[in-house]
Amino acid sequence: MADVIELILADHRRFEDLFRQLRDNSNDRLAVLKDLAELLVAHAEAEEGEIYPALRRFGDVDDHEVEHGAEEHAEGHQALLALMEVGDPEAQEWDEKLEDLVKAINHHLDEEERTILNSAREAVPQQRRDELGDKFVEARAARVSAGCGDISHVRDLVEQTKDRVD
């Protein structure tokens, strides 16, 4: 068992590491982008499917912040798709689209950590956080197995959630 908050925070630090790798021209940036897309989408879908609904049941976790977190996932998916569609890491717009993605995701990570996760740490008992951690890991792994980082799935997500962003 692992605390869902610690698991989410570990993914956040992994995103930051992958962003550093994507900025480094000496890396296989397409392979790193594939890893990022897979983890980012699986993470967001696991949060929205398993974690956010459970956290809404606790009075100290703000429903508005949870809904806002889902909106920011949609914005992140849009930025991810824009970078994936560039295709060539040597293209002029790659770095611009990468920075758009980094900005969107870092904004989300900061807000989620300060609002939702801090509230959950105080409001949700440890045993429940551990149970949610198991569900999070299971849901995230299932999404990865289903190929959630594939560009066609990211396109579908953007289409399904476009009303959240506008």
Side-chain angles (χ1 to χ4, degrees), residues 1-60:
M1 285 192 159
D3 184 331
V4 68
I5 295 169
E6 297 309 316
L7 291 167
I8 290 171
L9 291 172
D11 278 0
H12 290 182
R13 301 300 73 84
R14 179 74 179 133
F15 297 145
E16 292 165 351
D17 179 56
L18 290 167
F19 291 150
R20 280 189 288 280
Q21 291 180 45
L22 281 168
R23 287 176 168 140
D24 183 347
N25 290 337
S26 68
N27 287 323
D28 180 347
R29 295 164 91 186
L30 291 177
V32 176
L33 179 58
K34 180 182 181 300
D35 291 346
L36 175 68
E38 186 175 84
L39 181 60
L40 191 62
V41 172
H43 175 95
E45 290 184 327
E47 279 186 341
E48 289 183 39
E50 298 294 332
I51 308 311
Y52 284 1
L55 293 181
R56 286 176 188 249
R57 297 186 191 106
F58 291 90
D60 292 343

Side-chain angles (χ1 to χ4, degrees), residues 60-77:
D60 292 343
V61 178
D62 187 318
D63 278 351
H64 171 73
E65 291 299 335
V66 172
E67 183 59 34
H68 185 63
E71 291 168 6
E72 290 181 344
H73 286 163
E75 291 169 3
H77 293 144

